[in-house]
Amino acid sequence: EKYKNDPAVRMWAPGNENLHRILYPHWVSQANDPTVRARADAFAAFLPTLVDRIHALDPDHPVLYRDAEDVYLPLLKAPLQADGDARPWFVYGANVYSSVRLRDIIAAWPAQGFS
């Protein structure tokens, strides 16, 4: 609330590649560890609550979640769509590290079923 009317604020971004940090700490996959997977699932389930709360506090700025490419979109998509709420103010961003992956992500985006 302190900064929501500051002219420097363009959007809110709660985290960056959070799921990647949970599932790949120290660049080694922990995706098959049930405890780690439970943490990732818990974060994915919590994200809609988090972005909705941010938006409720400041409805004048979009909320952005940045992911590691589109790798974790399947994990996030279900919780974000479960309640049926439209979130036109929510932006799913993808950090992409090569032009080939960017081309692939853009080409596959319509089939992702997430807008």
Side-chain angles (χ1 to χ4, degrees), residues 5-112:
N5 295 317
D6 190 303
V9 172
R10 297 292 180 243
M11 65 182 64
W12 299 106
N16 179 41
E17 298 187 3
N18 298 22
L19 284 171
H20 186 71
R21 277 198 284 285
I22 292 168
L23 293 167
Y24 281 83
H26 313 294
W27 296 98
V28 176
S29 176
Q30 300 296 311
N32 292 325
D33 179 321
T35 302
V36 173
R37 186 58 191 217
R39 285 183 60 221
D41 291 342
F43 174 80
F46 174 66
L47 186 63
T49 302
L50 176 61
V51 300
D52 289 347
R53 178 70 173 136
I54 292 168
H55 180 69
L57 292 169
D58 183 0
D60 297 325
H61 292 95
V63 181
L64 164 74
Y65 176 74
R66 288 181 310 271
D67 210 348
E69 299 184 347
D70 62 343
V71 175
Y72 304 108
L73 179 59
L75 186 59
L76 294 170
K77 186 169 63 168
L80 285 165
Q81 294 177 334
D83 58 12
D85 289 348
R87 293 178 175 89
W89 43 265
F90 178 72
V91 178
Y92 176 85
N95 297 323
V96 181
Y97 301 99
S98 79
S99 59
V100 171
R101 277 296 293 138
L102 179 59
R103 185 179 60 236
D104 293 346
I105 290 167
I106 291 170
W109 192 256
Q112 296 276 17

